[in-house]
Amino acid sequence: MKPSIEILLVEDSPGDIRLTQEAFKEGKLVNRLHVVQDGEAAMAFLRQEGAYAQTIRPDLILLDLNLPKKDGREVLAEIKADGALRRIPVVVLTTSRAEQDVLKVYDLHANCYITKPVDLDQFLKVVQSVEDFWLTIVRLPPR
């Protein structure tokens, strides 16, 4: 059996968390979706600190930009500045359509930028497309 793929979802919207969980449940791969709801928790998870000391480093990060405590841009900058974390692909999944956000996250070395659709079916398709591309086509770096 293939090893499971570890995914970290950094998202503060309960509705978007639920939709993402549903979309991955219907996916074709064995994956484990971990969820944190703010930027500080994301960094603690990634650095395996405190309550997250026993977590497995994720293979892929789905990152919202608008987060409490520490926003997604700050989280992305910290991830990409950390030699132990920078190879983890970061997919920015956000409601923002602002051109300055797109430019900023690519300047911070995000791997891709996806604007969340408001339509439920489209949202599910986007998450499944992320899974199809990042977890079946792309070869992820070893943990």
Side-chain angles (χ1 to χ4, degrees):
M1 184 175 187
K2 288 172 116 177
S4 68
I5 294 166
E6 305 290 328
I7 303 164
L8 176 61
L9 174 62
V10 186
E11 173 61 69
D12 63 325
S13 163
D16 288 351
I17 292 168
R18 208 166 31 257
L19 286 174
T20 304
Q21 289 169 328
E22 287 302 313
F24 276 112
K25 271 185 200 162
E26 294 181 17
K28 304 165 208 62
L29 298 171
V30 176
N31 61 62
R32 291 183 33 174
L33 184 66
H34 307 273
V35 180
V36 294
Q37 295 186 339
D38 65 66
E40 287 179 3
M43 293 313 301
F45 185 101
L46 292 167
R47 292 184 173 135
Q48 298 168 308
E49 299 170 343
Y52 304 105
Q54 301 303 311
T55 60
I56 296 173
R57 184 153 291 153
D59 299 298
L60 180 68
I61 300 167
L62 303 179
L63 178 66
D64 187 21
L65 290 183
N66 303 309
L67 297 167
K69 298 187 182 178
K70 184 180 287 200
D71 83 2
R73 295 158 200 82
E74 293 173 278
V75 171
L76 178 60
E78 283 187 45
I79 291 168
K80 295 304 181 178
D82 186 322
L85 303 175
R86 75 171 53 121
R87 286 192 185 110
I88 302 170
V90 178
V91 174
V92 172
L93 189 58
T94 185
T95 56
S96 174
R97 295 183 176 279
E99 190 173 302
Q100 70 265 22
D101 282 336
V102 175
L103 293 171
K104 177 74 174 171
V105 301
Y106 281 118
D107 285 346
L108 292 171
H109 306 288
N111 296 86
C112 72
Y113 188 103
I114 300 171
T115 303
K116 292 179 198 170
V118 289
D119 174 77
L120 172 66
D121 288 335
Q122 282 301 112
F123 186 91
L124 292 172
K125 283 181 187 170
V126 163
V127 173
Q128 288 167 341
S129 295
V130 166
E131 181 184 49
D132 289 345
F133 181 73
W134 284 101
L135 305 181
T136 60
I137 296 172
V138 171
R139 181 170 178 195
L140 295 170
R143 275 186 217 129

